Amino acid sequence: MPKELRKRGRRAEKQSKEADGRDGPPTKKRRTEEPQQSFAVNGDAGDDLITFGQDYGNEDQDDQQITFYGLLTEEEQEYYANVNNKISVNDFENEEDRAIFIEAVHQESNGKEIKVASSQSSSRYLETIIRLSTAKQLRSLFLAFLQDLNYLVQHRFGSHCCETLFLESAKHVDIKSKSTEDGNTSFENLFLEAATKLQANIGFLLTERFASHTIRVLLLVLSGQPLQDAAAKETVGSRKKEKPGLLHHAEADSTEVRKVPHSFKRARRDLVVAAVSGLDTNYLRALATSPTGNPVLQLLLRLELSEDAKDGQNDHIVLQKLIPDQNFEPESDSSKFVSSLVYDSTGAYLIQTLVRNLPGKSFKKMYRNLFRDRIGKLAKNEMASYVAISIFERVGKDDLAHAVEELVQELPGLLERNRLAVVRTLVERSAVREVDLLPIREVLAQTYGSDPKVRLQKMLKLEGLESSVSEGGEEKGKERLPVDLQGSLLAQSMLRTSQLCEFVQETLLAQSDSILFQLAKSPIASRIIQVALTSERSSSKFLRQIVPVFNNMVLDLATDVSGSHVVDALWNATNGSHFMKERIAKALQSSETKLRDSMYGRTVWKNWHMDLYQRKHREWQAIAKGLDQEPTQENDSRPRKSAIELARERYMQKQPKNNQNKATGANTVKANA
């Protein structure tokens, strides 16, 4: 009898286990200290799982097993793969054709929505379909997910579908809607029902591996905060989550604060109270160092502190339990707790959230009692430096000036160890608060040297660049420079300040043409040249010296992915120096064929209005000198009025109204004709 075909090795065994649990991980049983008691742990939760003090399920759910919804057949998987391919290539005649196709997909998925969301491959396709669905289709899918929402939010693949469904459905929430919309359940009631279903297990779900992200999205939707801003992405989204690059045109509208019904705020508050009310301070603080619990605390604190303080329901439940003593006395437990998290790789994120969102009085007490006298030590530490950056962004002018005095002695060490993010933030905030930057300039001159020719190379970690370029010749010049990103960002920030811009401008002027050519073609270093050409701090004297350097290399830069942006910046840099702009335009015209054959060259040709330069040179000169508005795509094709026509219009406007439009001779028309 033939043996079953099997693969040997640990990898094959691991793959087979993953394949068995692909469409729904099996329920695991973990024994506690008492052999008679056990509770179910779903997914890949380990022994280091920290929850909000609640087990999954209630007393009635101890013996409840997770429902298995089955697997998709090969024909069904192939169907959804073909659907995804058709959507990806946008194989539709018009928008109506695509809408009909999406409706057909929803009808095909009727009754097996949960099974599709639990599939490893088809769940990705379902996310794409959700983004293209109408409000009616989203409502139908929402109702299907509510049948077993607790299962889906904990599923490895179904949780992502729930996140996408919540985000898309949030766009259709209307604060003026009634309990039903056209006989159907409103999105307001759908979200409230989802919150009610998840509230019983909220303590476990907030720190569960997969459900945590979905619950955070739901809390964000209920709060009315923006869904796509930077703070939301940091505390809600997962870094490992796949970002499908399809149809994100509607996400730009989600950066604004949304108006939500009052019932949403009550539902969010009920969820928070259900999760936190039964916990003591020590247990809640333990979540601050948990990789899963820390983002939860960040979101809860940010939503809680962002609410209007005049709202009678805003009691700062989480903040009061996490930090009972907000006076931050040096020997208090709250001060010790905050000080211990500053140097923790996970807890530092929570301190950053407190620094950014604490009320003004509480922040001033925390800063003066805990951070003011040790700001230099914080800036030197790898993790605490991020807290120092958040402090620089919040403090006022006097405290920022004190921080500059404290950090002057530490700046040489920070520059040598390439901790330039702290220095860059200090420079930017000092420029905003109008703090004296001369002490920082002296330290920069001592660290990077007095020779302006070598100064920029040290900032960008390119020591010995000139000798390597001269020895390597053309082949070496084609390679991209390994430029340090933090050094480039620091140089850009210095160019935007009045006291430090000359420090970078001098080193740019001291570079040879070959070095500037290499810097202009670098994706990172070219940003320095762009800022130097377009910054408001750049004087006309500096621009008259730096612009002619690029005259001989403008053609090679125009066809380069990074150099083309430098050529675009030369348009604004030559404002007020028309002869320089004419010279560059003439050089571009001489290589029209080369530019039109390049994708980046065509962009440069368009930004420099070269078609107008060739056909209507006077109008191009008017635009170049700022005497006329730049033509748009609509009126560019319209015929321009000649000088004699414009003169006739001015003449007619000066004539009395009773004599206007009265022709003579053969052009006379009788009134009754």
Side-chain angles (χ1 to χ4, degrees), residues 212-361:
S212 174
H213 301 286
T214 309
I215 300 300
R216 281 179 257 166
V217 171
L218 179 60
L219 290 173
L220 198 65
V221 171
L222 295 176
S223 66
Q225 295 294 317
L227 301 176
Q228 296 296 335
D229 63 345
K233 291 180 180 179
E234 288 179 0
T235 55
V236 174
S238 173
R239 296 180 180 179
K240 298 181 180 180
K241 178 177 173 58
E242 297 180 2
K243 307 295 190 303
L246 175 67
L247 298 173
H248 288 283
H249 57 273
E251 292 186 358
D253 299 334
S254 301
T255 57
E256 300 178 357
V257 178
R258 300 170 295 108
K259 293 183 179 180
V260 295
H262 293 288
S263 58
F264 275 23
K265 296 182 178 180
R266 292 193 298 268
R268 186 190 64 82
R269 180 180 174 83
D270 293 340
L271 288 175
V272 176
V273 171
V276 179
S277 59
L279 304 180
D280 57 359
T281 301
N282 294 331
Y283 194 92
L284 191 63
R285 288 178 176 178
L287 297 173
T289 56
S290 171
T292 308
N294 185 278
V296 174
L297 286 181
Q298 290 185 58
L299 180 63
L300 293 179
L301 287 173
R302 188 170 69 85
L303 296 180
E304 187 176 80
L305 295 175
S306 62
E307 286 186 351
D308 190 2
K310 296 181 181 180
D311 190 356
Q313 296 182 350
N314 187 11
D315 298 333
H316 293 172
I317 302 173
V318 181
L319 181 63
Q320 290 290 346
K321 182 158 293 190
L322 187 67
I323 305 178
D325 181 16
Q326 298 184 21
N327 292 323
F328 294 100
E329 297 297 334
E331 300 299 331
S332 64
D333 293 337
S334 299
S335 298
K336 295 179 181 179
F337 168 69
V338 172
S339 300
S340 63
L341 292 182
V342 170
Y343 300 97
D344 186 78
S345 59
T346 304
Y349 291 102
L350 182 64
I351 303 303
Q352 284 184 273
T353 303
L354 291 174
V355 169
R356 294 167 181 166
N357 298 281
L358 271 178
K361 293 182 179 179

Side-chain angles (χ1 to χ4, degrees), residues 430 434-439 441 494 496-503 537:
S430 298
E434 298 181 353
V435 178
D436 187 17
L437 290 172
L438 292 180
R441 179 189 174 95
M494 295 169 63
R496 295 187 179 99
T497 61
S498 58
Q499 294 180 316
L500 300 179
C501 61
E502 294 182 1
F503 186 85
R537 305 297 180 182

Side-chain angles (χ1 to χ4, degrees), residues 39-40 51-58 61-62 200-204:
F39 60 91
T51 67
F52 273 82
Q54 301 179 15
D55 293 335
Y56 171 61
N58 48 32
Q61 294 177 327
D62 289 340
N201 306 315
I202 189 65
F204 168 78

Side-chain angles (χ1 to χ4, degrees), residues 426-670:
L426 191 63
V427 169
E428 293 174 350
R429 298 308 302 171
S430 298
V432 173
R433 300 291 188 184
E434 298 181 353
V435 178
D436 187 17
L437 290 172
L438 292 180
I440 298 180
R441 179 189 174 95
E442 295 177 359
V443 175
L444 292 173
Q446 294 175 2
T447 303
Y448 294 125
S450 57
D451 186 5
K453 195 171 185 179
V454 186
R455 187 183 300 162
L456 183 62
Q457 300 178 18
K458 288 185 177 180
M459 293 181 65
L460 302 180
K461 304 298 182 183
L462 296 173
E463 289 85 355
L465 176 62
E466 187 171 2
S467 60
S468 62
V469 171
S470 60
E471 294 175 0
E474 296 182 358
E475 294 182 0
K476 187 70 175 179
K478 294 180 181 179
E479 298 180 1
R480 298 294 182 182
L481 298 178
V483 181
D484 182 66
L485 175 60
Q486 294 298 328
S488 176
L489 294 175
L490 176 60
Q492 295 175 43
S493 301
M494 295 169 63
L495 285 169
R496 295 187 179 99
T497 61
S498 58
Q499 294 180 316
L500 300 179
C501 61
E502 294 182 1
F503 186 85
V504 184
Q505 292 174 358
E506 291 176 357
T507 186
L508 285 175
L509 294 175
Q511 305 300 322
S512 61
D513 294 353
S514 59
I515 296 297
L516 282 179
F517 180 71
Q518 292 299 314
L519 295 177
K521 295 180 67 175
S522 171
I524 300 176
S526 62
R527 299 298 183 98
I528 302 176
I529 301 177
Q530 295 175 41
V531 175
L533 294 174
T534 58
S535 176
E536 298 178 355
R537 305 297 180 182
S538 298
S539 61
S540 58
K541 178 181 178 181
F542 166 74
L543 293 176
R544 284 195 300 267
Q545 292 176 324
I546 192 69
V547 170
V549 179
F550 298 100
N551 288 338
N552 298 329
M553 60 182 76
V554 65
L555 296 178
D556 294 330
L557 294 178
T559 56
D560 184 76
V561 57
S562 301
S564 59
H565 296 289
V566 175
V567 180
D568 292 339
L570 289 173
W571 173 268
N572 293 327
T574 53
N575 290 339
S577 300
H578 186 67
F579 70 96
M580 292 184 179
K581 190 168 292 185
E582 283 270 10
R583 187 177 302 172
I584 296 176
K586 187 176 181 180
L588 295 175
Q589 184 188 19
S590 63
S591 300
E592 178 181 359
T593 305
K594 181 180 178 181
L595 294 178
R596 290 188 181 275
D597 291 340
S598 172
M599 178 179 63
Y600 310 109
R602 289 193 295 269
T603 303
V604 172
W605 187 271
K606 178 182 178 182
N607 294 337
W608 272 78
H609 312 289
M610 292 305 299
D611 289 333
L612 203 61
Y613 176 84
Q614 289 181 331
R615 301 169 186 173
K616 300 178 181 180
H617 189 66
R618 290 198 176 188
E619 295 183 13
W620 182 89
Q621 286 183 330
I623 296 173
K625 295 179 181 179
L627 302 179
D628 192 10
Q629 296 181 354
E630 297 184 0
T632 59
Q633 188 175 1
E634 297 179 358
N635 58 20
D636 194 16
S637 60
R638 297 178 183 177
R640 298 281 181 172
K641 293 182 180 179
S642 62
I644 188 64
E645 292 176 343
L646 296 175
R648 286 174 179 172
E649 289 182 359
R650 290 193 297 267
Y651 175 79
M652 295 302 298
Q653 292 175 359
K654 294 180 181 179
Q655 299 301 318
K657 294 183 179 180
N658 55 359
N659 293 332
Q660 290 185 9
N661 300 328
K662 286 188 176 182
T664 59
N667 295 328
T668 304
V669 179
K670 295 183 180 180

